[in-house]
Amino acid sequence: MPEILDQARTQVLESGVGLDQAGVLAVLKLPDEHLPAALQLAHEVRMRWCGPEVEVEGIVSLKTGGCPEDCHFCSQSGLFASPVRSVWLDIPSLVEAAKQTAATGATEFCIVAAVRGPDARLMKQMREGVAAIRAEVDIQVAASLGMLSQEQVDELVDMGVHRYNHNLETCRSYFPNVVTTHSWEERWETLRMVRESGMEVCCGGILGLGESVEQRAEFAAQLAELDPHEVPLNFLNPRPGTPLGDRPVVEGKDALRAIAAFRLAMPRTILRYAGGREITLGDLGTRDGLLGGINAVIVGNYLTTLGRPATDDLALLTELKMPVKALSATL
C-alpha cells in the first residue's frame, strides 16, 4: 500500500481531516495499479463522513448564450464562433422544468443564467420564477447567476434561494489562461458574500482545461480552504468554436484519480458528478466514481450538452443500494 494511502486512512478516514495540497498531488500521481485501492478508500471516507445517500439535482438555463465573458471552455460566450445563441426561458417553462426535475426524485433545482452577473431584468425574472416554482413544486431552488453584489446576495436570500453555485473553474495560478474578462479573485469575493449570507456555497470547476497535475492539486487545496457545501466536478467536453474546442478529453483513469483525490481533500463535502462524465468515463466509469467518493449527481441534460437519461442514473443508484436523499430530510 502506498504511503499516501496509509496516511489518508489514518488522517482522513479515521480523523476526518482532509489531505493537503502535497497529499492530493501524491494521490493524483498514483500508478494505475493503486487506483482501485485509492477509490476504495475514498468510498469508505464518503460513507464514514457523508453516509450512503446521494443528492440528485436537475438544472435549467433561464438565459442561455450571449454571455459577455470569455471563459475559454464555454459555448455560451458571445465572443466565440459557437453555436449557442442568446435565449430567455419564460416562467411557465421554468416551472415545468422544475416539475420534471422533481419527478425524478431530485431535491435540488438549479436556475442558471449565462451572464457576468445579474441585471435588474434577470433579478426580476428570478424573483417571479422562484415564487412560481415554490408555489407549485416541492423542491429546493438553487441559482447560478455569475458574480453578485451584496445587494443581490441579500435579494436572493429574501427570495428563498437556498444554495448558490459559482465555480472557481480552476486553480488561481491557471485561471488567467482560461478567462481574461474577470479575475479569480472576483469570483472568490462573490463566494465569500454568499457564505456570509447563510446560503449554501456550491463551488467546483472543470478538469482538463490544460492545467498540470500540480495545478489540479492546487485547485483541490483551494476548494478545501473555501470549504463549500458542494463541489460539482466537471470534465471538459470540448465545444466546437471555443478556444478549448480541440483539447483532448481527460483520460478515464485520470478522472477517477481526481475523484478519489478530491474526496480525500474534502471528506465531508457533497462531491457531485457534473458535465463531461459521460464522454470521460462512460457507464462503467460512472459506476466506479460512485464507488470512489462521488455522492451527488446532476440528472438529465446539462446547459449546452446532453447527459445520460435520468432513469439510467436512478437505476444505477438503486442497483448500488445508494438511497436518493429525501427532500424532507433537507428542509
Side-chain angles (χ1 to χ4, degrees):
M1 181 72 70
E3 184 180 339
I4 184 57
L5 294 186
D6 284 335
Q7 177 193 333
R9 182 164 292 279
T10 302
Q11 177 184 322
V12 188
L13 180 60
E14 295 176 13
S15 302
V17 177
L19 294 179
D20 63 9
Q21 187 170 332
V24 171
L25 182 59
V27 174
L28 290 171
K29 287 185 168 182
L30 281 173
D32 287 353
E33 62 264 29
H34 295 304
L35 179 56
L39 289 167
Q40 174 61 33
L41 178 57
H43 181 61
E44 291 175 35
V45 167
R46 167 263 175 110
M47 296 295 282
R48 168 85 186 266
W49 297 104
C50 298
E53 289 187 325
V54 175
E55 188 184 276
V56 175
E57 178 182 49
I59 59 176
V60 70
S61 184
L62 180 60
K63 176 190 175 283
T64 305
C67 182
E69 304 305 286
D70 74 343
C71 307
H72 291 11
F73 50 82
C74 187
S75 58
Q76 300 203 60
S77 172
L79 306 178
F80 309 142
S82 312
V84 176
R85 286 294 159 255
S86 186
V87 179
W88 284 77
L89 195 66
D90 60 53
I91 301 298
S93 300
L94 197 61
V95 173
E96 181 57 32
K99 287 179 177 176
Q100 291 176 7
T101 296
T104 69
T107 55
E108 287 286 325
F109 181 67
C110 188
I111 301 170
V112 183
V115 291
R116 176 185 174 89
D119 59 11
R121 176 191 177 188
L122 180 54
M123 291 301 285
K124 179 175 183 288
Q125 188 108 349
M126 276 295 297
R127 183 170 284 282
E128 293 171 0
V130 172
I133 290 168
R134 296 187 73 184
E136 294 196 43
V137 191
D138 189 17
I139 199 164
Q140 295 186 122
V141 180
S144 181
L145 312 172
M147 290 173 286
L148 302 174
S149 66
Q150 185 62 58
E151 184 181 6
Q152 290 166 337
V153 169
D154 296 341
E155 194 174 345
L156 289 172
V157 172
D158 185 57
M159 287 178 207
V161 171
H162 98 113
R163 182 184 293 172
Y164 194 78
N165 163 256
H166 192 50
N167 290 337
L168 287 168
E169 305 302 8
T170 190
C171 67
R172 188 173 189 166
S173 70
Y174 193 67
F175 189 87
N177 297 288
V178 180
V179 183
T180 68
T181 47
H182 61 265
S183 68
W184 193 91
E185 290 76 13
E186 286 176 280
R187 289 190 176 227
W188 187 274
E189 176 61 13
T190 286
L191 291 160
R192 182 194 64 76
M193 289 189 289
V194 168
R195 171 178 291 295
E196 290 180 359
S197 78
M199 276 191 287
E200 290 183 357
V201 174
C202 170
C203 179
I206 305 175
L207 303 186
L209 299 173
E211 76 281 358
S212 66
V213 68
E214 288 79 11
Q215 287 169 321
R216 217 166 268 180
E218 178 195 342
F219 185 38
Q222 286 162 347
L223 286 173
E225 179 189 346
L226 178 66
D227 191 25
H229 184 265
E230 173 187 351
V231 172
L233 209 50
N234 298 270
F235 303 99
L236 181 68
N237 184 347
R239 299 288 83 206
T242 66
L244 296 179
D246 296 327
R247 279 212 60 79
V249 171
V250 176
E251 291 287 336
K253 287 182 178 177
D254 287 338
L256 290 171
R257 255 186 287 270
I259 289 168
F262 277 59
R263 169 54 70 204
L264 295 175
M266 294 172 280
R268 293 176 172 82
T269 298
I270 295 175
L271 193 57
R272 185 182 297 280
Y273 262 149
R277 66 180 161 106
E278 295 79 9
I279 63 164
T280 298
L281 293 166
D283 289 352
L284 185 62
T286 291
R287 174 191 298 267
D288 289 344
L290 283 164
L291 293 171
I294 293 286
N295 65 331
V297 294
I298 291 176
V299 292
N301 296 331
Y302 303 106
L303 297 175
T304 61
T305 58
L306 298 177
R308 283 158 46 103
T311 48
D312 289 4
D313 283 329
L314 296 172
L316 178 58
L317 294 178
T318 300
E319 181 190 334
L320 296 176
K321 296 183 172 57
M322 293 181 181
V324 173
K325 184 177 180 181
L327 185 65
S328 59
T330 64
L331 288 178

